[in-house]
Structure formats: structure tokens, C-alpha cells
């Protein structure tokens, strides 16, 4: 008598199917179920990404309403970034150890609770604690969502490409959509609704996850790498805090240099620990694989360049072209459309056939060209003639970067490493973005100061100040263009040619082949 379990759909055994969530089992692992699961995961990702920019739009109104000083204002942004960036690796590993679905649900619920507390804040400290809470729970939510997409669509290259096309589009448009939605809510209702709106996105994502995302509770859990968790978390805290302080204190300040050096030292210690422990928090094979390592490096570099458009173009539209918050957000809508179209085409149609090597360099070149096109904007430029074409080109480039790179960064992994690999995606983007903000702000400030020094006789005139600001903006856009070119060259050199093979073993089938 043969006691081996008979194979089920997607190469799974019947015991594997029985381990899935009852609702999912009843649906028989059909295509509809996995795409509905993707919808829930993408909506939660949208909530997370959107929150980065929507609060920036609401911040001036919140500051006026709650009466805190400019010195405290930056901590509403930094507090979120600090918690999110430093806890990502831990959040990703926890999802591998205790279940991706479980950590996703905890992340969504916690994020919603923190959003309600922030929306009801009656003072600076309450709002700050809420933002820190949002960042901490986002560090659970984001890697769990991406790893679930990777695992659910691990057994079919075309479906995986489509899924990452959708997920990459959401990642790309969330920031710009936050600008638009933040402006509308702040102007029509209140800054508090920029936090309360998360209840709508989160509730739908939560219901969808409960209904369609399969369980993956592990029967045998490896022990958590506590030394690795402590050193990685404290190291990332130091790096993120130091880079955040540089924006206001400068590079030479102790509170910039000290935390960054300490953070780098702790990360070196983290690598040493990971080489020696039996159950590392971040198995080094995750990042040392050529495809994934190149993907992480590309995300880190392009993460720097991304902030040039969202930060400096927003200021240009509002301060020089005199767009209001809503109009500024609407100005980014064409770029959103370009990102969506490019992500879906590159992810769903091209990536399964070509792999990342031709797509990512082309995307980087397009983004670099778009950034270079922004260097012609001036005080009398028109949106239609000068800003819109650059937005469209940049959006097409972003779409060809995000979807293929996210797919490559989570490819070829065993199920129990998907969470920490997904956390690396967010971590390198977060660190890259923090570096980008500091470097671009420093460059812009230096360019403005140099321009005013060269035109000292007219330095106080409004036109001179505008020209000085534009000089800073142009330098930033040229630098961002160079950053994207560098990312494209590295991607072309380091990515392998050809499609990434799909691992079709039961372990990679939707929901996993075992209770985990």
C-alpha cells in the first residue's frame, strides 16, 4: 500500500491543501482566489506607501492646529522613518518564523490603531507616538505583504510577472497619490483625515486578507536570532537617525556622524554574527545571490534618485508655479498613469521572457532622461510644455524599475526566507531614500548659497531668490539623473541575461506545501 500523499493542484499534496485557510481550501486554489489575495495585499501596500507623503501635506496644518514649533515638526516624519527603517529586518524575519499572514494581519490592525490615535491627537507627543507606532507596524506589514505575493505566485512565471507588475505599480504611484489625496483631505476636511483615511484602505485589506490569503502557520519554528535581531535593529536605528539628523544639523555635526558610524559598526557586527549562528535572522545567501544582490543594490541606488522628483518638484510647483496642494497632487497624475502602464507591461509581458537585465537598465535610462528634462524648468515655465513631458518619461522609467526589481529581489527563495528577503527590499529603499534626502538637500543648499554669494548686490530681490532656488533644483535633478545612470550601468553589468527560472516544487506553490 502506498502511503505517500497524492499530489493536488499546483503540485501540492492533499495534506498541504488541508493546511491552508478553510476559505481558501474551499475555493480550490483557483486563479480568482490568488488575484483577490493580491488585491488585498496591494491595498495594504498602497496604504503604507501613501502614508509617507500624505502626512507631509497635512503637516503644516497639524503644526498650526496643535501648536508645536518648527524644531519639532521634522520628528513627525523622522519618527515614522526611524521605526520603520530600523524594524524592517526584524519584521521580515518574524513573518518567516510566525507566519506571513499572521504578521500581515497584526501589521494592518496595528497600523489602523496608530492612525486613529494620530488622527485624534491633541498634542505633539501623542501625534509623534502615533507616527512611531505606524512605522513599527508598517515594518511588519510591508515585508509580509511582499513575501506573500512572492510565495502565492511562485509557481507560474507569467502570473508572477503580472502580480509584481500590479504590486510594483502600487509601490510607484503611492507617493504621488498621497500628495493628491493629502491636498484634497486637508483642504476640504481636516489634516486629521489624512490619518483617518487609512481606516478605509486598511479595513478592506484586512477583510480581503482574512478571506483570501492562506494560512502559513509553522508547526516547527526555528529560534529567533536574538543577537542578530538586536544588532541589526540598533544598527539601522543609528544609520536612519544619523541620516535624518544630517538634513537639519549638517554632515559635520556629532549627532549625524556619531550615530551613522555606530550604526555601521553594529551592522558589521551583525554580519559577523550571521556567519556564525545556526539560525541567522538574515541568511547571507539571501543577499549574496547574484540576482537578488543586484536587485537590492539597484533598489538602494534608485531609491536615492526617486526622492528628487517627489521632494524638489513638489516645492517647485508650490513655491514657484504657485500651485495649491490639490493642484500639485493632480499634477503628478500623468506620472501615476505612466508608472501603472509601464509596470504592468514590463512585469506581466516582458519580465517572464527577458528577466530583469534589459528592463531595469532601460528603466534607469528613462528615469535619468526624465530627470535631465527637469533641468530646463524656470520661473516662467508652463506645466504642459516643460513639466508634463518629463513626468511621463520619468514615470515610464520608474515602472520599468520597480516591478522587475521587486520580482528579482524575491526570486529563487525557499518559503521560510521570503519574509526577510522582502524586508531587505524595503530596507535598502529606506536607507537609499534617507541618503538621497540628505545629499540632495545639501547640494541644493550649497547651490543656493553660491548663487546668492555671486549675486550679492541683488540677493534680497525676489527674482534673485527664485533664480537661486532654481539653481539648487537644477543641480539636484542633474545629480539624480547621474544616480539613475549609475544604477542602470550596474544593473546591466551585474544582472544575468535571460528569464529567471521558476521553481515549481511544492514548497513554492501557493500557500506553501506545509503548515508553516
Amino acid at each position: 500500500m502506498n502511503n505517500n500523499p497524492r499530489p493536488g493542484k499546483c503540485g501540492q499534496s492533499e495534506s498541504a491543501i488541508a493546511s491552508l485557510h478553510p476559505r481558501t481550501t474551499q475555493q480550490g486554489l483557483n486563479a480568482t482566489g490568488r488575484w483577490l489575495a493580491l488585491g488585498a495585499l496591494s491595498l495594504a501596500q498602497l496604504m503604507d506607501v501613501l502614508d509617507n507623503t500624505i502626512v507631509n501635506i497635512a503637516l503644516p496644518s497639524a503644526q498650526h492646529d496643535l501648536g508645536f514649533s518648527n524644531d519639532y515638526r521634522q520628528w513627525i516624519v523622522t519618527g515614522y522613518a526611524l521605526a520603520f527603517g530600523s524594524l524592517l529586518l526584524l519584521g521580515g524575519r518574524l513573518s518567516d518564523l510566525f507566519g506571513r499572514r499572521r504578521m500581515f494581519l497584526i501589521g494592518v490592525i496595528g497600523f489602523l490603531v496608530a492612525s486613529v490615535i494620530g488622527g485624534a491627537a491633541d498634542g505633539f507627543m501623542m501625534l509623534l507616538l502615533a507616527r512611531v507606532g505606524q512605522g513599527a507596524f508598517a515594518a511588519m506589514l510591508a515585508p509580509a505583504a511582499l513575501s506573500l505575493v512572492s510565495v502565492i505566485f511562485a509557481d507560474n512565471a507569467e502570473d508572477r510577472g503580472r502580480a509584481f507588475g500590479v504590486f510594483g505599480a502600487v509601490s510607484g504611484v503611492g507617493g504621488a497619490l498621497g500628495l493628491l489625496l493629502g491636498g484634497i483631505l486637508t483642504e476640504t476636511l481636516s489634516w486629521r483625515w489624512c490619518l483617518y483615511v487609512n481606516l478605509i484602505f486598511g479595513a478592506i485589506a484586512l477583510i480581503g486578507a482574512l478571506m483570501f490569503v492562506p494560512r502559513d502557520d509553522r508547526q516547527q519554528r526555528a529560534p529567533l536570532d536574538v543577537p542578530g535581531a538586536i544588532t541589526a535593529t540598533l544598527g539601522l536605528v543609528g544609520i536612519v537617525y544619523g541620516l535624518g539628523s544630517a538634513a537639519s544639523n549638517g554632515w559635520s555635526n556629532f549627532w549625524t556622524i556619531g550615530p551613522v558610524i555606530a550604526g555601521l559598526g553594529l551592522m558589521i557586527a551583525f554580519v559577523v554574527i550571521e556567519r556564525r549562528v545556526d539560525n541567522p535572522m538574515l541568511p547571507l545567501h539571501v543577499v549574496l545571490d547574484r540576482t537578488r544582490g543586484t536587485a537590492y543594490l539597484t533598489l538602494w541606488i534608485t531609491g536615492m534618485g526617486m526622492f528628487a522628483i517627489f521632494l524638489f518638484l513638489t516645492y517647485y510647483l508650490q513655491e514657484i508655479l504657485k500651485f495649491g496642494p490639490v493642484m500639485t497632487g493632480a499634477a503628478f497624475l500623468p506620472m501615476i498613469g505612466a508608472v501603472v502602464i509601464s509596470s504592468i507591461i514590463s512585469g506581466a509581458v516582458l519580465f517572464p521572457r527577458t528577466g530583469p537585465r534589459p528592463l531595469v537598465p532601460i528603466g534607469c535610462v528613462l528615469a535619468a532622461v526624465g530627470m535631465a528634462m527637469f533641468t530646463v524648468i524656470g520661473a516662467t515655465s508652463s506645466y504642459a510644455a516643460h513639466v508634463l513631458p518629463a513626468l511621463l518619461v520619468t514615470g515610464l522609467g520608474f515602472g520599468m524599475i520597480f516591478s522587475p526589481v521587486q520580482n528579482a529581489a524575491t526570486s529563487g527563495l525557499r518559503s521560510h526566507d521570503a519574509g526577510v528577503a522582502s524586508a531587505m527590499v524595503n530596507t535598502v529603499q529606506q536607507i537609499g531614500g534617507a541618503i538621497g534626502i540628505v545629499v540632495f538637500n545639501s547640494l541644493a543648499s550649497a547651490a543656493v548659497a553660491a548663487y546668492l554669494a555671486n549675486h550679492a548686490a541683488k540677493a534680497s530681490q525676489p527674482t534673485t531668490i527664485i533664480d537661486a532656488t532654481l539653481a539648487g533644483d537644477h543641480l539636484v535633478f542633474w545629480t539624480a539623473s547621474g544616480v539613475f545612470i549609475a544604477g542602470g550601468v550596474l544593473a546591466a553589468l551585474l544582472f544575468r541575461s535571460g528569464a529567471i527560472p521558476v521553481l515549481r516544487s511544492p514548497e513554492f506553490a501557493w500557500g506553501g506545501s506545509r503548515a508553516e
Side-chain angles (χ1 to χ4, degrees), residues 273-280:
I273 291 171
E274 300 308 277
R275 289 173 60 90
R276 298 181 177 180
V277 297
D278 294 330
N279 297 288

Side-chain angles (χ1 to χ4, degrees), residues 82-129:
L82 194 61
F84 181 63
S86 61
L87 293 173
L88 271 167
L89 280 180
L90 178 59
R93 201 48 170 167
L94 289 176
S95 71
D96 290 330
L97 295 178
F98 298 101
R100 290 173 288 274
R101 179 177 181 271
R102 177 180 290 127
M103 296 308 297
F104 176 80
L105 295 176
I106 292 173
V108 172
I109 293 171
F111 196 93
L112 295 184
V113 171
S115 298
V116 171
I117 293 173
D122 58 2
F124 168 77
M125 187 55 65
M126 186 173 176
L127 181 58
L128 176 61
L129 291 175

Side-chain angles (χ1 to χ4, degrees), residues 300-363:
W300 176 61
I301 294 174
T302 56
M304 297 184 212
M306 252 184 56
F307 277 83
I309 186 169
F310 287 123
L311 184 61
F312 288 90
L313 187 62
T314 297
Y315 281 131
Y316 168 77
L317 293 173
Q318 293 194 2
E319 295 181 358
I320 295 180
L321 295 190
K322 303 303 180 184
F323 283 21
V326 175
M327 195 172 178
T328 298
F332 282 94
L333 287 178
M335 189 187 79
I336 293 177
V339 170
V340 170
I341 293 171
S342 180
S343 292
I344 293 175
I345 292 176
S346 62
V349 179
L350 301 177
F351 185 90
R353 295 170 174 79
T354 67
R357 189 173 191 182
L359 301 178
V360 178
I362 292 173

